[in-house]
Amino acid sequence: MKSTPDLCDAYEGGISVLEPLFTNFGGRERFYGEVVTVKCFEDNSKVKELAGTAGNNRVMVVDGGGSLRRALLGDMIAANALANGWAGFVIYGSIRDVDELGAMDLGVQALATNPMKTEKKGIGDIDVAVTFAGVTIHPGDFIACDNNGIVVSPVALDV
């Protein structure tokens, strides 16, 4: 995969760059795919639900409202997502089990870590537009992530 700086050079004006708020926690440092969105707040029920479905090398973009109080992804959900073919996660919120996530061939970008799990109330929305880090991301967009940053495009990129 091309680096995000190379993609920015190649697609100048055609892609959006998320504000540099995220840290790379996964074992796969570069990842790319079509976006599936989840909007939730301190409840990862929908993240868990989607991780159990065929990922087809897509990226789950989770708008957790920027909450740092509860982890929206841990090792069990991540292992399920990996087994189901997801390329990775971009989480506007916290994660946990970072040592285990770092050992998986899965992309994980998030704001921070927190060992506290979420409550499971089944609350959240799938496949809705989400806005965070200065960018609105739509289901079906394409996202590329690496240690340099995160870029989003409404069309597939030549990665």
Side-chain angles (χ1 to χ4, degrees):
M1 183 184 119
K2 294 178 184 171
S3 71
T4 56
D6 288 343
L7 292 171
C8 285
D9 293 349
Y11 293 95
E12 188 172 355
I15 60 175
S16 299
V17 178
L18 273 66
E19 294 169 354
L21 307 173
F22 297 85
T23 300
N24 209 340
F25 292 101
R28 185 183 301 177
E29 292 186 343
R30 287 185 179 183
F31 59 104
Y32 167 83
E34 185 177 355
V35 168
V36 176
T37 62
V38 177
K39 187 174 178 78
C40 58
F41 187 76
E42 298 183 1
D43 179 344
N44 67 351
S45 301
K46 299 297 181 181
V47 175
K48 181 178 181 181
E49 177 185 318
L50 267 178
T53 66
N56 301 314
N57 291 313
R58 293 176 296 171
V59 176
M60 195 181 308
V61 174
V62 182
D63 180 356
S67 174
L68 304 180
R69 298 184 299 198
R70 305 246 179 197
L72 295 174
L73 178 69
D75 62 340
M76 292 172 34
I77 293 174
N80 195 21
L82 182 60
N84 284 307
W86 288 88
F89 293 85
V90 174
I91 299 183
Y92 187 58
S94 294
I95 62 162
R96 66 187 203 165
D97 301 317
V98 295
D99 295 332
E100 292 82 355
L101 294 178
M104 293 182 194
D105 184 25
L106 183 70
V108 179
Q109 293 249 0
L111 296 179
T113 64
N114 188 315
M116 184 65 70
K117 69 179 181 177
T118 69
E119 294 182 293
K120 305 278 192 297
K121 296 180 179 178
I123 299 171
D125 297 303
I126 296 172
D127 282 336
V128 297
V130 296
T131 302
F132 57 82
V135 176
T136 298
I137 304 169
H138 299 89
D141 283 350
F142 290 84
I143 195 162
C145 310
D146 65 16
N147 287 324
N148 295 292
I150 301 172
V151 299
V152 178
S153 171
V155 297
L157 301 172
D158 178 19
V159 296

